[in-house]
Amino acid sequence: MVGLVLVSHSPKIAEGTADLVRQMAGEVEIATVGGDAEGGFGTDPEGIEAAIKGMEADEVLVFMDLGSAVLSAETVLEMLPEKDRARTTLVDAPFVEGAFAAGVSASAGSDAEECVEAAMEARTEPKLQDETS
């Protein structure tokens, strides 16, 4: 089972993305970490750590929105106990589209590697059809 941790500078973006994934993917474990520890915009390394450690999923994929969210997640990953670090992957994919693709893939029973592949494909998936081809 694959779970998702969504790390955003904004609680609303993290929760909104989780809502989208839940509505389209169904049963997928998702934890959100939005904003800093005081509820403002920013990142919360302790929240990221707690979210990862609190996941029941066998494999955990962490999606980050912007720069310091990535730095915080990388720092947390380095500091995690080996059992949690071994089951956690930071995903370099678009936040909303990547989490959506990974969540749908996870709900279909894919493993973490397949979910990461789906998330990475979201980076190159065109949103508009090329009218010249």
Side-chain angles (χ1 to χ4, degrees), residues 124-133:
T124 58
E125 190 66 33
K127 295 181 180 178
L128 300 175
Q129 297 297 319
D130 183 3
E131 295 180 17
T132 60
S133 58

Side-chain angles (χ1 to χ4, degrees), residues 33-47:
V33 185
D36 64 19
E38 289 78 38
F41 285 98
T43 58
D44 178 9
E46 290 179 9

Side-chain angles (χ1 to χ4, degrees), residues 64-109:
M64 301 82 47
D65 65 352
L66 301 170
S68 66
V70 176
L71 294 174
S72 293
E74 288 175 333
T75 301
V76 168
L77 184 64
E78 291 175 11
M79 298 174 66
L80 284 173
E82 178 55 32
K83 69 176 182 66
D84 290 314
R85 188 177 13 196
R87 69 183 183 118
T88 303
T89 301
L90 306 183
V91 183
D92 184 13
F95 188 74
V96 174
E97 294 89 341
F100 174 80
V104 170
S105 185
S107 71

Side-chain angles (χ1 to χ4, degrees), residues 4 10 15 25-26 31 33 37 42 48 55 72 81 96 98-99 106 108 110 113 121:
L4 309 179
S10 164
E15 285 297 326
V33 185
I48 297 168
M55 298 290 285
S72 293
V96 174
S110 298
E113 184 176 330
E121 288 175 9

